[in-house]
């Protein structure tokens, strides 16, 4: 079940800067979002796995942050991203992705030389990016949002085995798009809290920031 709250209520509880994982999660699951054209999105919802026109030979990116997905898909209006999927996956699998992840840009915190980083990039099936988060209207924030790219075995495991449930939330997105600047019916978004991976190795790899609450 997708829990929702007014955006302005949630905004007060989120950090205003730094690298943080904002997500809706339980003890055993975590929500990620993806956006696709109708043929891919409808197949995924109807069959509860990714197949049909979905390509397992390319990178596929998952996002835990609803508003980051809204920014990327322009609230479900971008061509080829009309179907917004809420994908509930196993939390243990998500944490395993964080451990395997290699950042898209060289960071000498983990790789002393650029050569070592390039070698890790070539081997890894999981890519990590910390991108600027955005407000509902598209304004860039100081806070960073996580985006995880999957390919090969990691993508196969995600698309076919790690999924608990896939929901099409395009109608909800359309309804809330009309409320972005509506004072009578304020914007509501899925409930998201700061997620701390249970694995110390995962926390080390992704380099989470300390909490500073309030935007």
């Amino acid at each position: 079940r997708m829990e929702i709250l007014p955006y302005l209520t949630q905004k007060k509880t989120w950090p205003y800067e730094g690298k943080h994982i904002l997500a809706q999660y339980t003890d055993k699951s975590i929500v990620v979002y993806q956006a696709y054209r109708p043929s891919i999105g409808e197949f995924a919802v109807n069959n509860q796995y990714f197949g049909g026109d979905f390509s397992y030979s390319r990178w596929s990116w998952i996002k835990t942050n609803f508003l980051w997905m809204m920014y990327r898909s322009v609230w479900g209006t971008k061509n080829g991203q009309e179907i917004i999927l809420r994908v509930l996956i196993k939390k243990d699998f998500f944490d395993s992705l964080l451990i395997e992840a290699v950042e898209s840009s060289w960071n000498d915190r983990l790789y002393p030389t650029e050569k070592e980083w390039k070698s890790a990039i070539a081997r890894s099936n999981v890519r990590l990016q910390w991108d600027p988060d955005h407000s509902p209207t598209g304004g860039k924030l100081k806070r960073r949002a996580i985006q995880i790219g999957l390919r090969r075995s990691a993508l196969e495991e995600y698309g076919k085995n790690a999924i608990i449930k896939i929901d099409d939330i395009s109608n909800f997105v359309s309804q809330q798009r009309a409320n972005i600047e509506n004072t009578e019916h304020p914007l509501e978004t899925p409930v998201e809290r700061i997620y701390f991976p249970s694995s110390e190795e995962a926390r080390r790899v992704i380099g989470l920031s300390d909490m500073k609450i309030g935007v």
Side-chain angles (χ1 to χ4, degrees):
R1 186 174 65 88
M2 183 170 66
E3 299 177 79
I4 59 174
L5 279 174
Y7 163 70
L8 292 177
T9 299
Q10 295 204 76
K11 179 182 176 183
K12 297 174 184 177
T13 70
W14 294 339
Y16 63 87
E17 63 180 20
K19 298 176 179 179
H20 303 279
I21 301 176
L22 278 178
Q24 187 166 112
Y25 60 92
T26 68
D27 290 342
K28 295 184 178 180
S29 64
I30 188 167
V31 172
V32 297
Y33 298 98
Q34 293 195 281
Y36 288 108
R37 65 181 185 271
S39 63
I40 294 177
E42 290 169 5
F43 181 98
V45 172
N46 292 335
N47 295 278
Q48 292 296 296
Y49 73 92
F50 286 98
D53 291 342
F54 182 85
S55 175
Y56 280 96
S57 62
R58 303 171 57 185
W59 284 94
S60 185
W61 293 82
I62 59 176
K63 304 162 183 65
T64 67
N65 183 329
F66 176 79
L67 287 177
W68 174 229
M69 183 75 262
M70 294 306 96
Y71 169 73
R72 293 293 294 175
S73 68
V74 195
W75 286 86
T77 64
K78 191 172 183 179
N79 186 42
Q81 297 189 31
E82 301 91 347
I83 304 297
I84 307 296
L85 299 180
R86 177 184 186 267
V87 186
L88 190 67
I89 63 173
K90 299 172 184 176
K91 195 167 71 171
D92 288 348
F93 171 73
F94 181 77
D95 281 1
S96 74
L97 295 179
L98 300 181
I99 293 172
E100 188 181 342
V102 178
E103 286 200 51
S104 294
S105 301
W106 175 37
N107 185 337
D108 60 9
R109 180 178 61 86
L110 295 176
Y111 302 99
T113 68
E114 189 173 5
K115 182 179 179 180
E116 290 177 274
W117 166 73
K118 286 183 177 179
S119 178
I121 277 282
R123 294 192 309 269
S124 179
N125 293 324
V126 184
R127 193 72 52 84
L128 168 68
Q129 286 185 190
W130 286 107
D131 300 295
D133 204 350
H134 288 74
S135 71
T137 56
K140 187 183 293 188
L141 304 177
K142 291 183 178 181
R143 184 177 62 242
R144 293 278 169 162
I146 197 169
Q147 182 176 203
I148 301 172
L150 310 175
R151 68 173 176 176
R152 299 173 183 162
S153 60
L155 183 56
E156 288 275 347
E157 184 66 18
Y158 165 73
K160 298 177 179 178
N161 300 314
I163 292 170
I164 299 171
K165 195 172 191 303
I166 303 176
D167 289 315
D168 179 354
I169 60 168
S170 305
N171 287 338
F172 171 78
V173 169
S174 179
Q175 292 166 3
Q176 295 308 315
R177 183 171 66 241
N179 295 336
I180 293 174
E181 296 183 282
N182 189 331
T183 55
E184 292 186 11
H185 302 282
L187 173 67
E188 293 185 311
T189 57
V191 172
E192 292 178 352
R193 300 173 287 139
I194 299 300
Y195 176 69
F196 293 100
S198 56
S199 164
E200 183 177 339
E201 177 66 6
R203 296 194 296 271
R204 184 187 72 85
V205 168
I206 63 178
L208 294 174
S209 299
D210 294 333
M211 291 281 288
K212 293 180 181 178
I213 299 298
V215 181

